[in-house]
Amino acid sequence: MTSERLEQIYDKYKDHVYRLAFAYCKNKADAEDIMQEVFIRCFSLDIDVENEAMLKSWLFKVTVNKCRDMFRSLRYKYSLTAVPLEEADITYETPEESDVFRAVMSLPTKYRTVIHLYYYEGYSVKEAGEILGINESAVQTQLYRARKKLKNILGKELRL
Amino acid sequence: MNIKDYKRVMDRFEADEKCKEEVFDMLKRENKIKLNKDYTEDVSGVEVRHGSNITKYIGIAAAFALVAGGICTTSVLLHNSRNGSSQLAEVIEDESEETTETSEQYDYYAIAQELTDSYLECVNIVLNGDISYDTEDYISFYVYDTFKEFEDERRFFKVTDKRFGSCQDVYEYYRGIAGPDLPENFMDARNVDDQAMIKLWLGGDVSELENGSRVNINSEDMSSVDVSAQSVNSGVYIDYNGQLYVADVVTHPYKYSVLDIKSVYTNEPELVETGAESFAALRTINNIHYGDDGEISSETNNKKLFTFALINGEWKIDSVISQ
């Protein structure tokens, strides 16, 4: 790949990868580290496909795997029982934004990730399952349980 | 309240520009040539120096002396020692070994083939129960589901493969090939976020259940179902009274008898990238079901990207990513 192509890929997907990593890690520093690792891996393996959707989902797969690796590391396993949301860089414009975002971030990791892929990135159940390496019924179950938990946290049904 | 509130907040997250610089700086440092195939190293500012004629003649004389010395040493070696020829051979052998070590030439294709073959064998043993067992020596449990109103036999055969005496042995074999970063104990690994499948493969010790007993697996409230019941319902391997058993049928994720499935490669390794300390290769896996009607290929064609890393001088699988 040429330098121009690498930059093109980076500029197009950096925020998507960063946001997915943030949804998983809940803090900016780790999300940035993961984003950098994802692109270095992509570029060093010379991964490039003509189908942009395939490239994006490949980047997401690597992102999820990198996040999982990080959470498996000693730091997360033994130092932190629950990862807090780093609020410093988050801007809320309305109280509803704050309530909903915090509610999603308070969900267990697997529910946050599936909510992000399905509702934010607009992936289908099948596509989200492929990215996460789980089957469709598991995605549907996780989405159902995530919505149920959100309803409990917010005290009312979240409009989708 | 609306999920759009989440989207609006998320939309404001943007990666810091310094990240881009760091990524590209790192790539440039590590792999200048790959970044730009037309890269050529221009050398400028080189000062060309000409030695004087006297220096030139001294140099020629010194070179001649060295060559002559070398010839003499070789002659002495051949003449003085009873095993002169073997000593010379040792000297030459040592030199060739040193040359090989420094050149770092790896047969990536052969390494990829060997390691990916080991991985597939591991998949067949751990996931598909492809292992030797005694058909005459088995235990059974009758699982029933009060919610779905069904009852079915779960039969487990005693494993006769000497390598595996317990679920922990199976796990250590799997860990050695595909998951070196996993915890040492398989019960701990079952709780690792993305390793939930280990729960399905390795049921653990179910000795508390009586052979031939009925086991409730009420699917309405999975949280109340005990671990042993889940294990006999879905485990490929279980421990029972100090022996390892393998299931003949599992309910999930396959509908087929677990002992009748075999994963195979449909292509040879395709090298994607090679480097001094890592490389990557692609292979495609297909599942073959051996049913009453013969062999049925599932045509899943699951393409896997294997990455390999050189760890302490030994090539190992670093990651396996489904494409």
Side-chain angles (χ1 to χ4, degrees):
Chain A
M1 273 192 283
T2 62
S3 306
E4 290 74 25
R5 177 63 182 146
L6 297 186
E7 281 206 48
Q8 190 188 17
I9 291 172
Y10 182 89
D11 290 338
K12 187 166 183 182
Y13 297 112
K14 68 176 173 27
D15 289 333
H16 291 277
V17 170
Y18 174 63
R19 287 165 191 161
L20 175 60
F22 190 95
Y24 202 108
C25 305
K26 300 201 284 188
N27 77 79
K28 187 182 170 184
D30 286 340
E32 284 181 350
D33 284 350
I34 283 168
M35 184 199 68
Q36 288 180 320
E37 284 182 31
V38 169
F39 283 106
I40 286 168
R41 188 180 190 89
C42 172
F43 297 158
S44 58
L45 288 176
D46 211 15
I47 297 283
D48 190 14
V49 286
E50 285 181 12
N51 184 334
E52 293 280 321
M54 275 176 67
L55 177 60
K56 188 177 173 187
S57 60
W58 185 86
L59 288 169
F60 278 0
K61 272 185 204 176
V62 179
T63 307
V64 170
N65 285 335
K66 290 277 177 197
C67 290
R68 285 170 176 164
D69 287 346
M70 176 174 277
F71 271 67
R72 271 208 300 264
S73 72
L74 293 176
R75 181 160 73 97
Y76 277 96
K77 204 170 170 203
Y78 299 111
S79 306
L80 298 166
T81 48
V83 183
L85 172 65
E86 187 191 75
E87 299 257 15
D89 297 291
I90 306 174
T91 316
Y92 304 114
E93 289 183 353
T94 63
E96 286 78 16
E97 282 185 5
S98 165
D99 290 346
V100 172
F101 192 80
R102 284 180 176 146
V104 173
M105 286 293 138
S106 72
L107 294 172
T109 313
K110 60 184 176 185
Y111 297 155
R112 285 201 306 276
T113 317
V114 82
I115 284 272
H116 185 88
L117 290 172
Y118 187 78
Y119 289 112
Y120 184 76
E121 289 293 346
Y123 280 113
S124 68
V125 165
K126 189 182 173 195
E127 289 164 336
E130 281 167 3
I131 288 168
L132 296 169
I134 56 178
N135 63 32
E136 287 179 50
S137 62
V139 174
Q140 277 168 334
T141 306
Q142 288 181 9
L143 279 172
Y144 168 76
R145 289 181 180 160
R147 286 193 292 259
K148 204 170 160 186
K149 276 181 181 288
L150 284 173
K151 188 182 173 186
N152 289 339
I153 296 164
L154 296 166
K156 55 182 160 182
E157 199 85 49
L158 187 68
R159 286 203 307 277
L160 304 168
Chain B
M1 290 189 184
N2 198 305
I3 195 71
K4 282 178 184 165
D5 290 316
Y6 172 81
K7 291 179 186 175
R8 278 192 283 268
V9 177
M10 211 29 121
D11 281 342
R12 291 182 207 120
F13 280 89
E14 285 181 2
D16 200 314
E17 269 303 300
K18 74 172 173 22
C19 294
K20 184 176 180 179
E21 287 168 24
E22 285 172 11
V23 167
F24 284 86
D25 281 351
M26 204 176 293
L27 281 170
K28 274 177 194 164
R29 275 199 306 275
E30 287 181 359
N31 213 349
K32 274 183 182 173
I33 294 167
K34 196 168 65 184
L35 261 176
N36 183 353
K37 286 178 181 166
D38 301 329
Y39 175 86
T40 52
E41 195 159 15
D42 294 327
V43 180
S44 61
V46 176
E47 184 186 356
V48 180
R49 298 184 71 179
H50 300 282
S52 69
N53 281 343
I54 294 170
T55 320
K56 195 187 292 175
Y57 292 130
I58 291 170
I60 292 167
F64 181 77
L66 279 170
V67 171
I71 292 166
C72 288
T73 310
T74 309
S75 305
V76 169
L77 270 171
L78 285 169
H79 184 258
N80 286 352
S81 171
R82 279 191 300 182
N83 299 319
S85 58
S86 64
Q87 273 195 15
L88 188 63
E90 281 169 22
V91 172
I92 294 166
E93 207 170 82
D94 286 349
E95 281 173 357
S96 66
E97 273 177 19
E98 198 175 332
T99 311
T100 311
E101 269 181 24
T102 50
S103 64
E104 296 286 349
Q105 294 295 318
Y106 297 108
D107 186 346
Y108 293 108
Y109 181 85
I111 296 165
Q113 186 140 43
E114 186 186 334
L115 292 178
T116 54
D117 284 352
S118 300
Y119 172 81
L120 192 74
E121 190 187 347
C122 176
V123 165
N124 277 319
I125 289 175
V126 180
L127 270 73
N128 300 334
D130 186 16
I131 200 167
S132 60
Y133 58 92
D134 184 351
T135 53
E136 301 297 319
D137 192 350
Y138 63 87
I139 52 176
S140 287
F141 302 97
Y142 295 89
V143 296
Y144 67 98
D145 187 334
T146 44
F147 180 62
K148 285 186 179 170
E149 295 179 347
F150 102 109
E151 180 162 339
D152 202 6
E153 183 189 8
R154 296 279 178 267
R155 185 174 289 191
F156 293 86
F157 298 107
K158 188 175 162 189
V159 171
T160 54
D161 188 319
K162 298 289 180 204
R163 290 176 297 171
F164 307 105
S166 65
C167 285
Q168 181 64 24
D169 291 343
V170 178
Y171 172 71
E172 280 173 15
Y173 165 69
Y174 166 74
R175 184 169 164 255
I177 290 174
D181 296 332
L182 287 169
E184 287 183 5
N185 189 288
F186 82 98
M187 291 301 280
D188 295 333
R190 288 157 53 122
N191 298 322
V192 173
D193 198 27
D194 63 330
Q195 295 292 335
M197 285 297 282
I198 289 178
K199 240 180 210 173
L200 293 172
W201 312 330
L202 304 174
D205 192 0
V206 298
S207 303
E208 66 176 35
L209 300 174
E210 195 182 334
N211 182 15
S213 62
R214 294 176 82 236
V215 179
N216 188 358
I217 51 155
N218 182 2
S219 59
E220 188 182 27
D221 182 13
M222 288 297 285
S223 59
S224 67
V225 176
D226 70 44
V227 176
S228 296
Q230 287 176 359
S231 296
V232 296
N233 186 44
S234 59
V236 178
Y237 292 94
I238 56 166
D239 292 321
Y240 193 75
N241 291 340
Q243 302 283 348
L244 180 66
Y245 287 82
V246 62
D248 78 335
V249 176
V250 288
T251 51
H252 182 80
Y254 307 112
K255 298 293 181 195
Y256 297 84
S257 160
V258 74
L259 297 175
D260 292 338
I261 299 173
K262 190 153 188 173
S263 299
V264 294
Y265 287 123
T266 56
N267 67 349
E268 296 301 314
E270 183 189 326
L271 293 178
V272 178
E273 176 65 35
T274 57
E277 293 188 349
S278 66
F279 71 100
L282 281 167
R283 286 195 92 170
T284 304
I285 294 179
N286 207 1
N287 287 331
I288 306 289
H289 303 276
Y290 299 95
D292 295 337
D293 303 329
E295 193 176 292
I296 306 160
S297 171
S298 68
E299 301 296 340
T300 44
N301 290 323
N302 189 358
K303 197 179 261 190
K304 300 272 188 192
L305 176 71
F306 293 87
T307 62
F308 307 89
L310 190 61
I311 300 164
N312 298 328
E314 192 182 348
W315 284 103
K316 291 196 167 179
I317 292 174
D318 186 36
S319 66
V320 185
I321 302 163
S322 295
Q323 296 287 289

PDB file of all heavy atoms in Angstrom, chain B residues 306-321:
ATOM      1  N   PHE B 306      -3.817 -16.474  10.278  1.00  0.00           N
ATOM      2  CA  PHE B 306      -2.917 -16.848  11.372  1.00  0.00           C
ATOM      3  C   PHE B 306      -1.758 -15.859  11.397  1.00  0.00           C
ATOM      4  O   PHE B 306      -1.162 -15.587  10.357  1.00  0.00           O
ATOM      5  CB  PHE B 306      -2.329 -18.250  11.143  1.00  0.00           C
ATOM      6  CG  PHE B 306      -3.340 -19.363  11.221  1.00  0.00           C
ATOM      7  CD1 PHE B 306      -4.067 -19.733  10.107  1.00  0.00           C
ATOM      8  CD2 PHE B 306      -3.546 -20.049  12.404  1.00  0.00           C
ATOM      9  CE1 PHE B 306      -4.989 -20.768  10.165  1.00  0.00           C
ATOM     10  CE2 PHE B 306      -4.463 -21.080  12.484  1.00  0.00           C
ATOM     11  CZ  PHE B 306      -5.190 -21.445  11.360  1.00  0.00           C
ATOM     12  N   THR B 307      -1.461 -15.338  12.569  1.00  0.00           N
ATOM     13  CA  THR B 307      -0.233 -14.554  12.683  1.00  0.00           C
ATOM     14  C   THR B 307       0.721 -15.328  13.591  1.00  0.00           C
ATOM     15  O   THR B 307       0.296 -16.001  14.527  1.00  0.00           O
ATOM     16  CB  THR B 307      -0.485 -13.144  13.267  1.00  0.00           C
ATOM     17  OG1 THR B 307      -1.009 -13.265  14.582  1.00  0.00           O
ATOM     18  CG2 THR B 307      -1.435 -12.357  12.402  1.00  0.00           C
ATOM     19  N   PHE B 308       1.993 -15.253  13.260  1.00  0.00           N
ATOM     20  CA  PHE B 308       3.008 -16.024  13.977  1.00  0.00           C
ATOM     21  C   PHE B 308       4.048 -15.058  14.534  1.00  0.00           C
ATOM     22  O   PHE B 308       4.364 -14.041  13.907  1.00  0.00           O
ATOM     23  CB  PHE B 308       3.697 -17.012  13.038  1.00  0.00           C
ATOM     24  CG  PHE B 308       2.733 -17.904  12.299  1.00  0.00           C
ATOM     25  CD1 PHE B 308       2.198 -17.509  11.077  1.00  0.00           C
ATOM     26  CD2 PHE B 308       2.348 -19.127  12.830  1.00  0.00           C
ATOM     27  CE1 PHE B 308       1.299 -18.316  10.399  1.00  0.00           C
ATOM     28  CE2 PHE B 308       1.446 -19.941  12.159  1.00  0.00           C
ATOM     29  CZ  PHE B 308       0.928 -19.531  10.931  1.00  0.00           C
ATOM     30  N   ALA B 309       4.567 -15.398  15.705  1.00  0.00           N
ATOM     31  CA  ALA B 309       5.581 -14.528  16.318  1.00  0.00           C
ATOM     32  C   ALA B 309       6.761 -15.377  16.762  1.00  0.00           C
ATOM     33  O   ALA B 309       6.594 -16.531  17.171  1.00  0.00           O
ATOM     34  CB  ALA B 309       4.987 -13.783  17.512  1.00  0.00           C
ATOM     35  N   LEU B 310       7.931 -14.790  16.645  1.00  0.00           N
ATOM     36  CA  LEU B 310       9.146 -15.468  17.097  1.00  0.00           C
ATOM     37  C   LEU B 310       9.346 -15.139  18.572  1.00  0.00           C
ATOM     38  O   LEU B 310       9.639 -14.005  18.932  1.00  0.00           O
ATOM     39  CB  LEU B 310      10.335 -14.976  16.265  1.00  0.00           C
ATOM     40  CG  LEU B 310      11.646 -15.731  16.432  1.00  0.00           C
ATOM     41  CD1 LEU B 310      11.497 -17.195  16.021  1.00  0.00           C
ATOM     42  CD2 LEU B 310      12.746 -15.081  15.607  1.00  0.00           C
ATOM     43  N   ILE B 311       9.138 -16.149  19.422  1.00  0.00           N
ATOM     44  CA  ILE B 311       9.229 -15.928  20.875  1.00  0.00           C
ATOM     45  C   ILE B 311      10.353 -16.800  21.423  1.00  0.00           C
ATOM     46  O   ILE B 311      10.296 -18.030  21.295  1.00  0.00           O
ATOM     47  CB  ILE B 311       7.892 -16.255  21.572  1.00  0.00           C
ATOM     48  CG1 ILE B 311       6.777 -15.362  21.011  1.00  0.00           C
ATOM     49  CG2 ILE B 311       8.009 -16.088  23.089  1.00  0.00           C
ATOM     50  CD1 ILE B 311       5.378 -15.826  21.320  1.00  0.00           C
ATOM     51  N   ASN B 312      11.354 -16.150  21.991  1.00  0.00           N
ATOM     52  CA  ASN B 312      12.530 -16.855  22.523  1.00  0.00           C
ATOM     53  C   ASN B 312      13.123 -17.832  21.499  1.00  0.00           C
ATOM     54  O   ASN B 312      13.437 -18.983  21.809  1.00  0.00           O
ATOM     55  CB  ASN B 312      12.178 -17.617  23.814  1.00  0.00           C
ATOM     56  CG  ASN B 312      11.735 -16.677  24.908  1.00  0.00           C
ATOM     57  OD1 ASN B 312      12.202 -15.543  24.979  1.00  0.00           O
ATOM     58  ND2 ASN B 312      10.815 -17.114  25.747  1.00  0.00           N
ATOM     59  N   GLY B 313      13.201 -17.373  20.258  1.00  0.00           N
ATOM     60  CA  GLY B 313      13.808 -18.181  19.206  1.00  0.00           C
ATOM     61  C   GLY B 313      12.911 -19.266  18.640  1.00  0.00           C
ATOM     62  O   GLY B 313      13.340 -20.062  17.811  1.00  0.00           O
ATOM     63  N   GLU B 314      11.646 -19.295  19.081  1.00  0.00           N
ATOM     64  CA  GLU B 314      10.744 -20.334  18.583  1.00  0.00           C
ATOM     65  C   GLU B 314       9.497 -19.694  17.977  1.00  0.00           C
ATOM     66  O   GLU B 314       8.888 -18.797  18.571  1.00  0.00           O
ATOM     67  CB  GLU B 314      10.317 -21.235  19.750  1.00  0.00           C
ATOM     68  CG  GLU B 314       9.626 -22.500  19.322  1.00  0.00           C
ATOM     69  CD  GLU B 314       9.172 -23.346  20.517  1.00  0.00           C
ATOM     70  OE1 GLU B 314       9.598 -23.051  21.652  1.00  0.00           O
ATOM     71  OE2 GLU B 314       8.394 -24.269  20.303  1.00  0.00           O
ATOM     72  N   TRP B 315       9.116 -20.163  16.792  1.00  0.00           N
ATOM     73  CA  TRP B 315       7.917 -19.619  16.145  1.00  0.00           C
ATOM     74  C   TRP B 315       6.664 -20.199  16.805  1.00  0.00           C
ATOM     75  O   TRP B 315       6.577 -21.405  17.008  1.00  0.00           O
ATOM     76  CB  TRP B 315       7.914 -19.961  14.653  1.00  0.00           C
ATOM     77  CG  TRP B 315       8.850 -19.124  13.860  1.00  0.00           C
ATOM     78  CD1 TRP B 315      10.069 -19.496  13.379  1.00  0.00           C
ATOM     79  CD2 TRP B 315       8.673 -17.751  13.481  1.00  0.00           C
ATOM     80  NE1 TRP B 315      10.663 -18.444  12.719  1.00  0.00           N
ATOM     81  CE2 TRP B 315       9.831 -17.366  12.770  1.00  0.00           C
ATOM     82  CE3 TRP B 315       7.656 -16.823  13.669  1.00  0.00           C
ATOM     83  CZ2 TRP B 315       9.977 -16.083  12.246  1.00  0.00           C
ATOM     84  CZ3 TRP B 315       7.819 -15.550  13.155  1.00  0.00           C
ATOM     85  CH2 TRP B 315       8.963 -15.195  12.445  1.00  0.00           C
ATOM     86  N   LYS B 316       5.725 -19.297  17.129  1.00  0.00           N
ATOM     87  CA  LYS B 316       4.474 -19.740  17.733  1.00  0.00           C
ATOM     88  C   LYS B 316       3.300 -19.000  17.082  1.00  0.00           C
ATOM     89  O   LYS B 316       3.488 -17.906  16.554  1.00  0.00           O
ATOM     90  CB  LYS B 316       4.477 -19.455  19.232  1.00  0.00           C
ATOM     91  CG  LYS B 316       5.462 -20.319  19.992  1.00  0.00           C
ATOM     92  CD  LYS B 316       5.189 -20.306  21.467  1.00  0.00           C
ATOM     93  CE  LYS B 316       5.988 -21.434  22.098  1.00  0.00           C
ATOM     94  NZ  LYS B 316       5.831 -21.515  23.520  1.00  0.00           N
ATOM     95  N   ILE B 317       2.113 -19.607  17.196  1.00  0.00           N
ATOM     96  CA  ILE B 317       0.926 -18.899  16.721  1.00  0.00           C
ATOM     97  C   ILE B 317       0.651 -17.752  17.673  1.00  0.00           C
ATOM     98  O   ILE B 317       0.574 -17.944  18.889  1.00  0.00           O
ATOM     99  CB  ILE B 317      -0.295 -19.843  16.650  1.00  0.00           C
ATOM    100  CG1 ILE B 317      -0.101 -20.882  15.541  1.00  0.00           C
ATOM    101  CG2 ILE B 317      -1.580 -19.056  16.420  1.00  0.00           C
ATOM    102  CD1 ILE B 317      -1.183 -21.935  15.476  1.00  0.00           C
ATOM    103  N   ASP B 318       0.511 -16.548  17.111  1.00  0.00           N
ATOM    104  CA  ASP B 318       0.261 -15.364  17.938  1.00  0.00           C
ATOM    105  C   ASP B 318      -1.238 -15.085  18.040  1.00  0.00           C
ATOM    106  O   ASP B 318      -1.758 -14.746  19.086  1.00  0.00           O
ATOM    107  CB  ASP B 318       1.004 -14.169  17.319  1.00  0.00           C
ATOM    108  CG  ASP B 318       0.910 -12.930  18.194  1.00  0.00           C
ATOM    109  OD1 ASP B 318       0.923 -13.091  19.423  1.00  0.00           O
ATOM    110  OD2 ASP B 318       0.846 -11.819  17.655  1.00  0.00           O
ATOM    111  N   SER B 319      -1.927 -15.218  16.898  1.00  0.00           N
ATOM    112  CA  SER B 319      -3.380 -15.003  16.919  1.00  0.00           C
ATOM    113  C   SER B 319      -4.018 -15.725  15.737  1.00  0.00           C
ATOM    114  O   SER B 319      -3.353 -16.017  14.748  1.00  0.00           O
ATOM    115  CB  SER B 319      -3.708 -13.500  16.841  1.00  0.00           C
ATOM    116  OG  SER B 319      -3.321 -12.990  15.588  1.00  0.00           O
ATOM    117  N   VAL B 320      -5.302 -16.014  15.882  1.00  0.00           N
ATOM    118  CA  VAL B 320      -6.083 -16.627  14.808  1.00  0.00           C
ATOM    119  C   VAL B 320      -7.341 -15.785  14.644  1.00  0.00           C
ATOM    120  O   VAL B 320      -8.152 -15.702  15.558  1.00  0.00           O
ATOM    121  CB  VAL B 320      -6.468 -18.087  15.143  1.00  0.00           C
ATOM    122  CG1 VAL B 320      -7.170 -18.742  13.960  1.00  0.00           C
ATOM    123  CG2 VAL B 320      -5.240 -18.901  15.552  1.00  0.00           C
ATOM    124  N   ILE B 321      -7.456 -15.134  13.494  1.00  0.00           N
ATOM    125  CA  ILE B 321      -8.585 -14.230  13.296  1.00  0.00           C
ATOM    126  C   ILE B 321      -9.452 -14.743  12.146  1.00  0.00           C
ATOM    127  O   ILE B 321      -8.951 -14.994  11.060  1.00  0.00           O
ATOM    128  CB  ILE B 321      -8.096 -12.801  12.955  1.00  0.00           C
ATOM    129  CG1 ILE B 321      -7.188 -12.280  14.086  1.00  0.00           C
ATOM    130  CG2 ILE B 321      -9.254 -11.851  12.737  1.00  0.00           C
ATOM    131  CD1 ILE B 321      -6.338 -11.097  13.683  1.00  0.00           C
TER     132      ILE B 321
END
